[in-house]
Amino acid sequence: MIAIQDGPELFIAQAVDSMMAGHERRVFRSCDELVWRGVKRQFQGQKPLVHGQHACALIAQSIAGLNERIRRVARRRSSLHWLWMLRRLPPSVFEGELATTLGYDQTLAEAATGTASEADDVTFGPDLVATFPLDGVTLSDLAELCSLVRFVSDLHKAYRWAAKGAGLRFEPCARPAEIANPELRSSVELYDQRVVASSRPLSRQGSEVVRASDVIGEPGTLLRVVPTLPSEVRLSPELLGKLTLERPELNRAGARVTARFTLQRVAVPHLLSLNPSLLQKELAVILLLHTAALHVHRHRSGLFSVMTRGYLLVETGMLRDMMSEFMAIGGDELNARLVQVGMLNVDQLWEMLRRVRGTMWPLVPGPVIRECGRWTCLDLASATKHLDVLEADDAFGDIANARADHFEHAIQAVIDTSSWKPSDALKALRGRPLKLKGNTVTDLDAVGARGSTLLAVSCKSTVYRRTYDQGDHSTVRNVASLVQKAVADWSQRMGTLAAAPVGDNYDLSQYSGILRVICLPMVPWVPLGTATAEVAVGLRAACSYSEFVAWLTNSGS
């Protein structure tokens, strides 16, 4: 096997690693001063320790000022030039204590540079590999940008701490420090661990709408391009595609490449039906990922480019021709939605994709297309991020009920394939009001049993907004209150069933215990207590869909 080396990547890694320490000291010092100047007048001799919404407001003020500084740095290079460098950075630049820090800071940097100017010096090799200048000034700008991103990311973290109840202490020449009691600190650490272990795409939908797929191109299937830590993989001549035309030696032996992205095929058959009011640009992203495999196949170095950089570089006219050709294969439901919103041709599709932009606060992934002269970068990794954080429609009535019903059936479906599969008689109780002495006790959203233990699940089809990830004080507190109340209410209702196992229309007398679970689409943050307590080994009273599936799998082994 031949190793394909990326010279600019090696050069950037060596140069940036040696420059980051010096730039971080200077940037962090100036940013500390900026934050302190912005807040010190708030205290007027008082102790600079604030809590709750006041703390969040002060941090948000500092973030806004630093975002403008980042934009000024970003304007020094083109949007594509920045992406070309950022996708070649060593992981050490953005890695932190949490596994999620690398992806978060990388996304923040890409969002920050997404609206930079289009003019820049770029050359293309015969295999469509772009090359940009990497002089000392450019590398210094890159190190400055990365240092600013790291600092602002720390402010985002401080904001989230404040939203959960921590105090923030502001001091000259120092970043705001969170002041949290041991119980709060433990609850946040537990939440972070759970998020890392159980995150899933499209979990803001209020239900479970994603499953693995073995097909490409059928309606409801998409190609996700997902970042991963750099690792060496082997590509056969067939997978290297048209690169072998310029590199005959690859046609004989294949090659080893350093992959930064993995490709995943997923099915989302209910995404459109549960979201009848998706925006034009959201539908454009769905169509793009539905046809992404075709774009990769048509590109002369498609798979190689996507696995190493997450994007394709295509001559703009050629890309528009391919998009026009592929628009018709989205399937009847997607095509009908495109007609409904007036997206009828490639000009309208192109304009919608251009409107898919990122923001630094709240964090929204960067653009899907970055244009540079007659070339366009089709960023499939960014399109995947936009899909993953797609927010559900603001819906009430029938749509909200359909979403809740879908989530309940999804939970029941995974129970039915586990060792907790219920009998037909028990499953018949699901969704029915259980009555005792003429009064309704509750209904079971999902149910299972093993031996003498009844598994009773209350499904909460909670729709999450980006303000939750941002750490908005009211949003975080409202979700925590909802979960705590749901756990207490479910425990009380199951206590009634345990005390009266035979009612007007149910007989649960064969069960000696009831496992009581609240299941949500995402991991919720709640203070330590009954909601975070384990009701069985590895299963908490309030859990996410992913956690529940993992427990079902492990409990049956």
Side-chain angles (χ1 to χ4, degrees), residues 29-258:
R29 188 183 306 118
S30 64
C31 289
D32 286 335
E33 293 172 356
L34 185 149
V35 171
W36 177 247
R37 286 199 306 270
V39 303
K40 65 179 180 180
R41 63 179 178 272
Q42 301 278 337
F43 303 116
Q44 298 179 343
Q46 299 178 9
K47 189 176 182 180
L49 176 64
V50 291
H51 294 80
Q53 290 183 323
H54 185 201
C56 289
L58 291 179
I59 288 291
Q61 171 186 307
S62 299
I63 290 172
L66 287 169
N67 283 352
E68 182 53 40
R69 179 174 171 181
I70 291 176
R71 291 187 190 97
R72 290 198 297 270
V73 175
R75 285 194 285 268
R76 299 172 189 170
R77 300 287 178 273
S78 73
S79 174
L80 181 54
H81 192 167
W82 283 118
L83 186 68
W84 181 84
M85 293 188 291
L86 291 170
R87 294 278 170 89
R88 286 170 166 80
L89 284 175
S92 58
V93 172
F94 288 137
E95 281 178 329
E97 294 179 0
L98 299 176
T100 52
T101 302
L102 171 58
Y104 188 92
D105 288 11
Q106 180 80 22
T107 300
L108 180 57
E110 292 175 9
T113 58
T115 56
S117 66
E118 295 182 11
D120 217 332
D121 296 326
V122 58
T123 58
F124 290 89
D127 51 4
L128 293 188
V129 175
T131 301
F132 286 92
L134 279 177
D135 52 69
V137 174
T138 299
L139 291 169
S140 178
D141 289 343
L142 177 61
E144 182 179 358
L145 178 88
C146 293
S147 299
L148 285 167
V149 165
R150 285 174 61 89
F151 189 94
V152 170
S153 176
D154 283 346
L155 292 187
H156 289 190
K157 180 181 177 182
Y159 185 97
R160 293 191 293 269
W161 271 105
K164 295 178 176 71
L168 293 181
R169 175 177 288 127
F170 291 85
E171 295 177 323
C173 303
R175 269 166 288 177
E178 70 272 3
I179 309 299
N181 61 47
E183 183 175 328
L184 175 59
R185 193 169 295 278
S186 295
S187 73
V188 172
E189 289 173 352
L190 174 62
Y191 170 73
D192 289 338
Q193 293 165 6
R194 294 173 67 187
V195 168
V196 169
S198 63
S199 61
R200 284 180 64 83
L202 285 163
S203 53
R204 289 180 179 173
Q205 285 293 306
S207 186
E208 176 55 31
V209 298
V210 178
R211 59 177 172 81
S213 174
D214 293 326
V215 299
I216 285 181
E218 290 187 2
T221 62
L222 307 173
L223 182 69
R224 297 179 66 242
V225 177
V226 185
T228 185
L229 288 176
S231 60
E232 191 175 87
V233 298
R234 295 185 175 186
L235 295 184
S236 67
E238 292 77 19
L239 293 180
L240 283 167
K242 298 180 180 64
L243 267 184
T244 58
L245 297 178
E246 289 87 22
R247 301 277 298 275
E249 69 276 17
L250 301 181
N251 199 29
R252 295 190 299 271
R256 288 181 286 113
V257 300
T258 299

Side-chain angles (χ1 to χ4, degrees), residues 433-441 496-497 499-506:
L434 303 185
K435 294 183 177 291
L436 178 65
K437 298 180 180 179
N439 297 315
T440 298
V441 178
T496 300
L497 291 182
V502 179
D504 300 351
N505 61 346
Y506 67 88

Side-chain angles (χ1 to χ4, degrees), residues 99 410 488 507:
D507 183 351

Side-chain angles (χ1 to χ4, degrees), residues 188-516:
V188 172
E189 289 173 352
L190 174 62
Y191 170 73
D192 289 338
Q193 293 165 6
R194 294 173 67 187
V195 168
V196 169
S198 63
S199 61
R200 284 180 64 83
L202 285 163
S203 53
R204 289 180 179 173
Q205 285 293 306
S207 186
E208 176 55 31
V209 298
V210 178
R211 59 177 172 81
S213 174
D214 293 326
V215 299
I216 285 181
E218 290 187 2
T221 62
L222 307 173
L223 182 69
R224 297 179 66 242
V225 177
V226 185
T228 185
L229 288 176
S231 60
E232 191 175 87
V233 298
R234 295 185 175 186
L235 295 184
S236 67
E238 292 77 19
L239 293 180
L240 283 167
K242 298 180 180 64
L243 267 184
T244 58
L245 297 178
E246 289 87 22
R247 301 277 298 275
E249 69 276 17
L250 301 181
N251 199 29
R252 295 190 299 271
R256 288 181 286 113
V257 300
T258 299
R260 290 171 174 253
F261 296 87
T262 60
L263 279 62
Q264 300 175 356
R265 294 170 293 187
V266 298
V268 288
H270 301 285
L271 179 60
L272 294 178
S273 62
L274 293 177
N275 292 277
S277 303
L278 288 174
L279 300 176
Q280 287 179 311
K281 63 181 182 180
E282 293 169 336
L283 290 169
V285 169
I286 293 172
L287 176 61
L288 174 61
L289 292 176
H290 176 70
T291 60
L294 295 173
H295 284 289
V296 172
H297 177 73
R298 287 282 184 91
H299 195 278
R300 65 195 306 177
S301 58
L303 187 64
F304 172 76
S305 180
V306 171
M307 291 184 68
T308 56
R309 305 295 160 222
Y311 56 70
L312 299 172
L313 276 174
V314 190
E315 195 276 326
T316 301
M318 182 183 301
L319 178 58
R320 289 171 62 92
D321 288 343
M322 287 193 294
M323 285 185 174
S324 180
E325 177 186 350
F326 298 158
M327 278 190 74
I329 65 171
D332 292 343
E333 186 178 19
L334 180 54
N335 288 340
R337 293 289 289 276
L338 295 176
V339 171
Q340 179 183 344
V341 300
M343 200 185 309
L344 306 178
N345 55 54
V346 71
D347 292 332
Q348 293 162 328
L349 172 61
W350 190 266
E351 182 57 31
M352 287 304 106
L353 291 175
R354 294 183 75 180
R355 293 184 187 181
V356 180
R357 294 287 181 178
T359 61
M360 289 182 279
W361 183 251
L363 181 58
V364 176
V368 171
I369 58 175
R370 301 188 187 219
E371 298 168 86
C372 185
R374 67 186 185 94
W375 299 94
T376 295
C377 170
L378 187 64
D379 193 348
L380 298 178
S382 184
T384 299
K385 291 178 182 178
H386 278 280
L387 173 77
D388 289 352
V389 299
L390 182 67
E391 294 186 344
D393 282 355
D394 286 320
F396 301 94
D398 292 343
I399 293 299
N401 291 336
R403 184 177 292 134
D405 187 60
H406 181 270
F407 189 48
E408 293 170 10
H409 279 86
I411 296 295
Q412 188 62 58
V414 295
I415 295 175
D416 290 347
T417 60
S418 74
S419 60
W420 290 85
K421 180 179 179 179
S423 65
D424 291 342
L426 176 59
K427 189 174 179 179
L429 296 179
R430 194 199 74 80
R432 288 172 48 188
L434 303 185
K435 294 183 177 291
L436 178 65
K437 298 180 180 179
N439 297 315
T440 298
V441 178
T442 189
D443 62 308
L444 303 173
D445 294 338
V447 65
R450 194 165 74 172
S452 61
T453 301
L454 175 69
L455 174 62
V457 185
S458 175
C459 303
K460 298 300 178 184
S461 176
T462 306
V463 172
Y464 294 81
R465 302 298 175 198
R466 60 175 55 99
T467 51
Y468 187 82
D469 291 337
Q470 180 185 16
D472 176 75
H473 185 270
S474 297
T475 304
V476 170
R477 287 288 167 178
N478 288 343
V479 172
S481 297
L482 179 150
V483 173
Q484 289 173 312
K485 183 178 183 301
V487 169
D489 181 67
W490 194 237
S491 179
Q492 183 271 324
R493 292 175 185 273
M494 292 303 99
T496 300
L497 291 182
V502 179
D504 300 351
N505 61 346
Y506 67 88
D507 183 351
L508 303 175
S509 58
Q510 69 186 92
Y511 304 108
S512 60
I514 303 178
L515 205 54
R516 313 158 190 196

